[in-house]
Amino acid sequence: MHQEREVGVLVLGAGLQGVGIALELAERGIATTLIDQDELPLNRASLRNEGKIHLGIIYANDRSMGTAFLQLDGALCFSRILTRWMRGDPTWLAKSTPFHYLVAADSIVTPEALAEHYAAVEERCRARLAEQPELDYLGERPSWLAMPLPPESLAVHFDAESFIGGFETAECAIDTEVMALALRRRVLEEPLITFMPSHEVRAIARSGDQFSVEGDGPQGPWSLRALQVVNAMWEQRLRFDQQLGIPPAGDALHRLKYRVIARLPERMRAAPSATMVLGRFGDVVVRPNGTAYLSWYPSALRGWSHDIQPPQDWEPACRGEVPAPFARQLAKEVLAAIDAWYPGIGECVPLQVDAGVIVAIGRSDVDDAASALHDRSHIGVNTQGGYHSVDSGKLTTAPLFALQTADRIEDVRRAMGGR
Ligand SMILES: Cc1cc2nc3c(=O)[nH]c(=O)nc-3n(C[C@H](O)[C@H](O)[C@H](O)COP(=O)(O)OP(=O)(O)OC[C@H]3O[C@@H](n4cnc5c(N)ncnc54)[C@H](O)[C@@H]3O)c2cc1C
């Protein structure tokens, strides 16, 4: 066993949430130790997700607007915060073409109700931009968010028979790989961050007014004492909260969802990105490097668990290790299903298949209008003394929550007399 070392702030999990907190604290002159089980930061959900920076328009079935407005708040500060962490270098940002939202015949929300929701989000967005000149959406200040797509425009790219309505939107995704490469470089060169790769956390306990964290690493078992701990371990977050007696806020749900990255046919490289709403459908993200992110829920959702942590056998896919025959079959299914409504996608050449875990609270699936999955407003940082458990909820909100977590850490430091 390594000798037990003492650190000030220990950040567990180097996805966008943990990395963001460490970089934000570095900006404020506070040193952190950042731990991850993988060799590199941003190797899990923050890399293997769709990358949509949510304006809130997808959350039309949370009639309280709580989810939509929280995502909008995250989206409107996302690029400003990332660019500050990157010391002004904007090259972390590679944007997709804007999304078209396509309304399925069996959508759980009607086109009319969707239009109302989009108008409410747009109004809120306009108000936010007017009140706060420093806000932007991925470098722009859009004057509109969604407008109806006439049937003849819908038919230019899509199988019009498959839909009962459509909207052109200002929403975009980012290329998560470009972001991950930039953030990894930044973390590794930041003198106020000590990154400990390949260190798996096994246990957290309180010890007096400190915390003791143990795990396994390349040199065997390790143990650290910390004044403050950030739990940003995403699909393992609830497990470690439980070790400290903090229960989940409801029925924990972990879903394993695969993605296919594929090369687009030349003629589709400027085609719109698309999201089919609202139910168990899918997305196409047209990225600037000629590739697309493809996801089709009925084929790509391969795991469902209410356990406090996901099953061990989901692990390899979340690290990017997927057996080739399985990857080929899954890609074939996803391409065929999407080609039925987005003609041409079937000609894509699959390049990569991997998966991520979606962490949420709920029991029934997204095609149930009453499912708790439609309400994602109960996310963010939960502080108990010097322990901060952060549910990023979405990539979109991780930078916003990083700032809030850094504020709390500073408050606790002040209360401890600056330690
Ligand atoms: C398929 C899919 C699609 C999504 N699409 C979108 C989208 O379009 N837009 C959006 O805004 N959000 C989306 N999300 C959600 C988004 O990806 C997550 O909210 C976000 O990336 C999570 O960031 P994180 O830093 O909390 O977690 P992660 O990026 O997973 O980071 C957690 C880190 O903790 C480490 N870790 C875990 N356990 C341990 C341990 N025991 N010891 C040491 N290290 C550990 C992991 O290795 C990992 O690096 C999607 C998620 C998935 C899975």
Side-chain angles (χ1 to χ4, degrees):
M1 164 92 68
H2 287 185
Q3 211 179 359
E4 195 176 60
R5 251 187 339 114
E6 185 178 314
V7 299
V9 181
L10 180 59
V11 179
L12 307 175
L16 181 60
Q17 192 61 80
V19 161
I21 292 165
L23 285 173
E24 181 59 27
L25 288 170
E27 291 296 308
R28 301 179 189 196
I30 298 171
T32 54
T33 300
L34 174 65
I35 282 189
D36 204 282
Q37 63 194 351
D38 288 349
E39 254 174 71
L40 288 172
L42 289 116
N43 186 44
R44 301 279 177 135
S46 297
L47 174 67
R48 302 176 204 283
N49 73 88
E50 178 179 339
K52 183 185 277 191
I53 303 304
H54 285 282
L55 287 164
I57 53 188
I58 194 82
Y59 293 102
N61 196 47
D62 173 4
R63 306 297 164 104
S64 77
M65 302 302 288
T67 308
F69 289 169
L70 179 55
Q71 291 302 313
L72 179 68
D73 284 348
L76 293 181
C77 60
F78 191 93
S79 68
R80 183 171 48 99
I81 297 173
L82 261 288
T83 304
R84 184 163 55 78
W85 289 341
M86 295 304 301
R87 300 275 160 86
D89 178 358
T91 54
W92 64 270
L93 177 59
K95 255 196 291 186
S96 74
T97 59
F99 281 88
H100 282 8
Y101 272 52
L102 307 167
V103 189
D106 53 345
S107 168
I108 58 168
V109 178
T110 63
E112 296 72 34
L114 288 172
E116 264 174 47
H117 175 78
Y118 300 163
V121 177
E122 190 171 293
E123 192 186 328
R124 172 79 159 215
C125 180
R126 276 210 199 97
R128 279 275 190 273
L129 291 175
E131 286 155 16
Q132 299 181 50
E134 73 279 13
L135 298 182
D136 70 275
Y137 178 62
L138 301 176
E140 290 174 27
R141 288 170 59 83
S143 55
W144 61 275
L145 296 190
M147 55 175 95
L149 200 56
E152 62 278 12
S153 306
L154 199 145
V156 172
H157 296 284
F158 307 103
D159 174 50
E161 299 296 304
S162 302
F163 304 107
I164 55 169
F167 297 84
E168 190 178 349
T169 83
E171 198 168 64
C172 294
I174 59 169
D175 185 330
T176 52
E177 191 160 349
V178 175
M179 177 190 72
L181 288 173
L183 282 171
R184 283 175 193 158
R185 269 199 308 275
R186 182 70 188 88
V187 165
L188 298 179
E189 74 191 19
E190 173 52 59
L192 287 176
I193 299 176
T194 304
F195 179 54
M196 294 172 67
S198 308
H199 279 62
E200 186 180 359
V201 178
R202 292 245 183 251
I204 306 182
R206 278 180 217 279
S207 109
D209 61 351
Q210 300 195 355
F211 297 88
S212 144
V213 180
E214 290 176 6
D216 296 313
Q219 272 93 47
W222 54 267
S223 153
L224 288 170
R225 259 179 314 120
L227 295 171
Q228 297 197 59
V229 170
V230 174
N231 175 355
M233 288 184 280
W234 189 233
E235 75 250 35
Q236 299 220 17
R237 189 181 65 87
L238 295 173
R239 165 189 164 203
F240 290 104
D241 278 1
Q242 195 178 53
Q243 291 186 4
L244 290 178
I246 304 167
D251 286 318
L253 172 59
H254 294 112
R255 283 174 291 163
L256 180 70
K257 192 167 166 219
Y258 282 82
R259 64 171 191 168
V260 178
I261 301 294
R263 184 159 305 289
L264 283 157
E266 198 70 37
R267 67 176 193 287
M268 294 185 79
R269 293 196 171 177
S273 299
T275 291
M276 197 164 157
V277 292
L278 196 59
R280 299 177 84 250
F281 305 123
D283 299 81
V284 172
V285 181
V286 175
R287 312 198 300 183
N289 64 354
T291 66
Y293 165 105
L294 306 173
S295 173
W296 182 246
Y297 198 96
S299 318
L301 190 83
R302 295 293 178 114
W304 179 284
S305 164
H306 290 289
D307 293 344
I308 199 77
Q309 71 179 105
Q312 276 294 319
D313 62 2
W314 294 9
E315 266 282 302
C318 296
R319 289 194 302 263
E321 296 157 22
V322 176
F326 176 86
R328 270 196 300 275
Q329 182 56 31
L330 189 127
K332 202 169 141 195
E333 282 177 33
V334 168
L335 264 61
I338 297 179
D339 192 69
W341 56 271
Y342 200 154
I345 291 295
E347 294 165 44
C348 288
V349 179
L351 302 172
Q352 189 183 336
V353 173
D354 54 26
V357 178
I358 305 175
V359 182
I361 297 295
R363 277 224 87 82
S364 58
D365 211 341
V366 285
D367 52 351
D368 171 13
S371 171
L373 292 181
H374 298 290
D375 178 0
R376 302 293 187 84
S377 60
H378 306 285
I379 54 177
V381 51
N382 175 12
T383 294
Q384 305 213 354
Y387 181 74
H388 314 272
S389 180
V390 194
D391 177 2
S392 58
K394 289 268 141 189
L395 193 76
T396 306
T397 30
L400 175 67
F401 295 152
L403 266 55
Q404 293 173 357
T405 309
D407 289 347
R408 305 238 183 137
I409 289 169
E410 285 202 286
D411 287 347
V412 173
R413 267 165 62 96
R414 271 191 291 274
M416 286 174 167
R419 285 198 299 158

